[in-house]
């Protein structure tokens, strides 16, 4: 091991100035700060990408739910139109053109239900990203629109459950001749339908099942949140 030349070390140390020392420390500090800032920027950019990606999934999920909503509304509109037609004529079927009744021959046999998904929303809720989103109003609107869809599902499913409970026992009790007449869908079919008290009362339900504008408002609420997401996160 070589002996340290302390005279040389003293000479070097004596040659240092306070300014040189401060500059050396400043270079180290700045380097550390830049490293941390760079790391923070990378983390923030990564979080922004993750948030945008998640919001894109939610937007796509809402669009899919919107299509399901449109399908069940179209299906229910047939029940509503039939109910309105019968109620307008006070169930006096022979005051209605027979072709109009045949148009709705199969409606009473349609049992449907509304389903929607919220997997994308659940991903957001279960992640730490939700805390990183500063727009709390947007988060509130997201939560509310899924609540709206759930309320719509419960209401719509209740209608079809009632329909099923009435029409299934009715259909099971039909004779072969009655089934043939119902298949034809004319006055004979509706004589059979309306001779049953439960069916007679049920066909009045659809025309007044929902309050005015309720169904349309559900669609508008979904559209509004989709638009908010697309504008906020520049989604195509």
């Amino acid at each position: 091991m070589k002996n340290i030349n302390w005279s040389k070390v003293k000479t070097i140390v004596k040659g240092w100035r306070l300014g040189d020392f401060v500059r050396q420390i400043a270079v180290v500090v700045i380097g550390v700060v830049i490293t941390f800032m760079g790391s923070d920027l990378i983390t923030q950019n990564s979080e922004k990408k993750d948030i945008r990606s998640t919001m894109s999934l939610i937007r796509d999920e809402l669009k899919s739910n919107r299509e399901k909503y449109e399908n069940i509304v179209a299906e229910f509109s047939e029940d509503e139109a039939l109910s309105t037609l019968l109620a307008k004529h006070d169930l006096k079927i022979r005051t209605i053109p027979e072709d109009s009744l045949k148009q709705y021959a199969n409606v009473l046999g349609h049992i449907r239900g509304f389903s929607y998904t919220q997997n994308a929303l659940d991903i957001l809720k279960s992640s730490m990203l939700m805390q990183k989103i500063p727009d709390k109003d947007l988060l509130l609107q997201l939560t509310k629109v899924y609540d709206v869809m759930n309320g719509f599902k419960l209401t719509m499913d209740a209608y079809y459950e009632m329909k099923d409970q009435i029409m299934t026992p009715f259909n099971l009790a039909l004779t072969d001749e009655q089934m043939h007449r119902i298949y034809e869908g004319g006055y004979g079919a509706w004589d059979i339908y309306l001779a049953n008290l439960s069916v007679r009362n049920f066909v009045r339900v659809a025309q007044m099942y929902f309050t005015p504008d309720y169904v349309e408002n559900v669609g508008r609420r979904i559209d509004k949140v989709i638009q908010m997401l697309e504008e906020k996160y520049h989604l195509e």
Side-chain angles (χ1 to χ4, degrees):
M1 182 176 177
K2 293 182 179 182
N3 294 327
I4 299 174
N5 190 338
W6 291 104
S7 297
K8 186 176 180 180
V9 170
K10 290 179 181 179
T11 302
I12 294 173
V13 171
K14 285 181 180 179
W16 283 4
R17 296 180 181 179
L18 180 60
D20 295 331
F21 180 75
V22 171
R23 278 195 294 272
Q24 293 296 326
I25 295 297
V27 168
V28 173
V29 171
I30 291 172
V32 171
V33 170
I34 290 175
T35 299
F36 277 107
M37 287 179 63
S39 177
D40 286 344
L41 287 174
I42 292 173
T43 300
Q44 290 176 12
N45 287 334
S46 177
E47 287 175 349
K48 287 180 179 179
K49 289 181 180 179
D50 289 342
I51 290 172
R52 185 177 185 276
S53 177
T54 303
M55 291 303 184
S56 179
L57 289 176
I58 293 176
R59 187 276 310 269
D60 292 344
E61 184 173 72
L62 286 175
K63 282 191 171 183
S64 175
N65 289 334
R66 183 68 161 84
E67 290 180 6
K68 295 174 184 177
Y69 156 86
E70 289 173 354
N71 291 337
I72 194 64
V73 168
E75 184 72 35
F76 177 79
S77 66
E78 293 187 2
D79 287 58
E80 191 174 30
L82 169 61
S83 179
T84 301
L85 177 65
L86 293 173
K88 179 181 178 181
H89 292 269
D90 197 25
L91 305 188
K92 297 174 182 177
I93 57 173
R94 281 171 175 75
T95 63
I96 304 172
E98 191 170 23
D99 287 343
S100 297
L101 292 174
K102 286 183 177 181
Q103 179 183 347
Y104 299 105
N106 298 319
V107 169
L108 290 181
H110 293 175
I111 307 299
R112 300 291 186 265
F114 174 64
S115 64
Y116 69 96
T117 59
Q118 62 174 56
N119 297 328
L121 179 67
D122 290 340
I123 290 174
L124 177 64
K125 286 182 175 181
S126 62
S127 71
M128 298 296 292
L129 294 176
M130 202 163 187
Q131 303 174 13
K132 306 292 184 179
I133 300 174
D135 193 342
K136 302 306 178 186
D137 180 62
L138 176 61
L139 293 177
L140 181 61
Q141 294 301 321
L142 271 180
T143 303
K144 282 185 174 181
V145 77
Y146 279 90
D147 288 341
V148 167
M149 286 189 291
N150 186 57
F152 178 72
K153 171 181 171 56
L154 294 175
T155 307
M156 186 61 77
D157 287 355
Y159 171 80
Y160 283 106
E161 182 179 350
M162 175 171 47
K163 187 178 185 181
D164 185 34
Q165 290 174 351
I166 292 170
M167 296 310 302
T168 297
F170 169 82
N171 289 324
L172 290 175
L174 293 174
T175 65
D176 290 345
E177 182 183 352
Q178 287 174 325
M179 290 181 66
H180 178 72
R181 290 172 63 188
I182 284 179
Y183 179 76
E184 291 179 340
Y187 289 135
W190 289 98
D191 284 336
I192 296 171
Y193 278 135
L194 300 181
N196 182 287
L197 183 59
S198 295
V199 175
R200 190 178 183 88
N201 289 330
F202 174 74
V203 295
R204 298 177 185 269
V205 172
Q207 47 124 6
M208 54 184 179
Y209 188 69
F210 289 111
T211 57
D213 295 331
Y214 171 76
V215 175
E216 291 78 8
N217 282 334
V218 172
R220 283 194 285 266
R221 292 286 294 274
I222 298 172
D223 291 340
K224 178 183 177 182
V225 175
I226 290 174
Q227 183 179 359
M228 289 176 67
L229 291 173
E230 289 181 340
E231 291 179 353
K232 178 75 175 180
Y233 296 98
H234 307 290
L235 303 176
E236 298 180 357

